[in-house]
Amino acid sequence: MPLRDLLPGLFAIALWALNIIVIKVGVTEMPPLLLTTLRFTLVALLLVPFYPVSRHQLPFLLLLSLTFGAMHFALMIIGLEQAEAGTGALLVQMGTPFATLLAVIFLRERMGLKRLVGLLLSFSGIIVLAGGPSLPAPLPTTLLLTSALGWAISQLLIKRGPNIAPMALAGWVALFTVPQVALGSWWFEDHQWQIIQQAGVKGWGAVVYTAVMSSIVAYGLWFSLLRRHDVNRVVPMTLLVPVLAVILGILLLGDSTDIYKLGGGGLVVAGVGLIVIRWRRRRLV
């Protein structure tokens, strides 16, 4: 990949890794569902007026808002509130193995030995993480793995759904997600208006960063890269997200470092790598 394309791709990866840290900081000033509500509201305001969709696409976007907006993003932010940044990123990375399993079950895709080994390595990594102190309590762990499952389901829906421009998809999914997470915030959280008034740089910075830098800038760069290069050359770079998140969590948040996190995280990344990276045999000239 030319350097002029590689650098924007790596920049998008860095934005997503830093997004994990920003969320961790943001939920110290705002409860997770309120932060998610404000994030999606800002995304919708910035994108929906400029990316219209047809009426027949609305039911699909509403369904995607349930799996991608509420199930993936909202549960991820709730789970990250009670988990270390790096460990949370590793758990969410299990979306790729989940997507592989769902594709085999529902789309009749072929498993293959390489993908099977990748699945076994990924789930082995979770077992190793479970033996260490960095794995969060059962509830946030379940929320983060359910968030990964939401991502996996969303990928299958997008694969089978109508062809919608990426920014239109992001904007309208955000719009339909707002009432869902707002209702959740109203039901489970308190003093929202007071928190909004008192929030400082950490809270509002997290809202702006997750909406603008992570959702719009990073995905804009990423989809631009996908249009110019094979998916096989682009997607493997996402393996750097949990690696960078672990490093940033240690450097910026003082997260722990232990053999379970390093070993389990290595197994998860290696397993996902086997699933997403496709090797081609070179011809001998």
Side-chain angles (χ1 to χ4, degrees):
M1 187 181 298
L3 189 62
R4 68 177 181 274
D5 290 338
L6 181 62
L7 290 179
L10 292 176
F11 182 58
I13 294 299
L15 290 177
W16 283 327
L18 187 58
N19 187 56
I20 303 292
I21 309 301
V22 170
I23 290 172
K24 286 288 297 177
V25 173
V27 293
T28 62
E29 284 197 355
M30 286 187 180
L33 287 173
L34 176 60
L35 192 152
T36 307
T37 301
L38 295 173
R39 169 199 186 275
F40 279 122
T41 300
L42 183 55
V43 172
L45 288 173
L46 293 174
L47 294 180
V48 168
F50 306 102
Y51 294 94
V53 296
S54 58
R55 184 175 299 177
H56 75 273
Q57 293 172 333
L58 295 180
F60 169 75
L61 292 166
L62 178 59
L63 175 61
L64 200 59
S65 73
L66 293 169
T67 62
F68 198 62
M71 188 174 178
H72 172 55
F73 275 107
L75 293 186
M76 179 182 70
I77 294 179
I78 295 172
L80 282 174
E81 184 184 24
Q82 305 174 59
E84 289 188 356
T87 305
L90 289 167
L91 291 174
V92 173
Q93 192 74 13
M94 290 299 293
T96 299
F98 287 157
T100 300
L101 280 175
L102 292 176
V104 170
I105 295 171
F106 294 104
L107 303 183
R108 306 296 183 186
E109 290 189 5
R110 181 174 172 270
M111 173 70 76
L113 179 60
K114 185 170 72 71
R115 297 173 83 183
L116 177 60
V117 173
L119 284 172
L120 293 175
L121 283 175
S122 299
F123 287 106
S124 298
I126 298 299
I127 294 173
V128 172
L129 280 172
S134 65
L135 192 75
L139 179 58
T141 297
T142 301
L143 291 175
L144 289 167
L145 289 176
T146 305
S147 167
L149 179 62
W151 182 90
I153 295 171
S154 301
Q155 302 315 300
L156 267 65
L157 290 175
I158 292 171
K159 187 174 183 179
R160 292 292 182 177
N163 186 20
I164 302 175
M167 290 296 103
L169 188 146
W172 285 87
V173 166
L175 180 66
F176 287 134
T177 304
V178 168
Q180 301 172 48
V181 290
L183 180 62
S185 177
W186 174 78
W187 186 264
F188 294 107
E189 299 168 349
D190 298 309
H191 311 297
Q192 288 87 344
W193 181 242
Q194 182 180 354
I195 291 171
I196 289 174
Q197 291 178 308
Q198 295 178 351
V201 174
K202 292 180 180 180
W204 285 109
V207 171
V208 173
Y209 184 95
T210 55
V212 178
M213 301 306 293
S214 177
S215 294
I216 298 177
V217 175
Y219 274 106
L221 291 171
W222 192 252
F223 287 122
S224 175
L225 205 58
L226 285 172
R227 282 195 293 267
R228 295 195 297 272
H229 296 279
D230 292 341
V231 173
N232 251 358
R233 294 191 175 192
V234 179
V235 171
M237 283 196 289
T238 59
L239 295 173
L240 293 172
V241 173
V243 176
L244 286 176
V246 169
I247 295 172
L248 291 172
I250 293 170
L251 294 177
L252 301 179
L253 301 178
D255 286 352
S256 64
T257 308
D258 55 73
I259 190 64
Y260 296 98
K261 178 187 284 187
L262 297 178
L267 286 172
V268 170
V269 173
V272 173
L274 278 177
I275 293 170
V276 302
I277 298 175
R278 185 180 302 168
W279 288 279
R280 294 179 179 177
R281 293 181 180 178
R282 294 180 180 272
R283 293 182 178 180
L284 297 177
V285 180

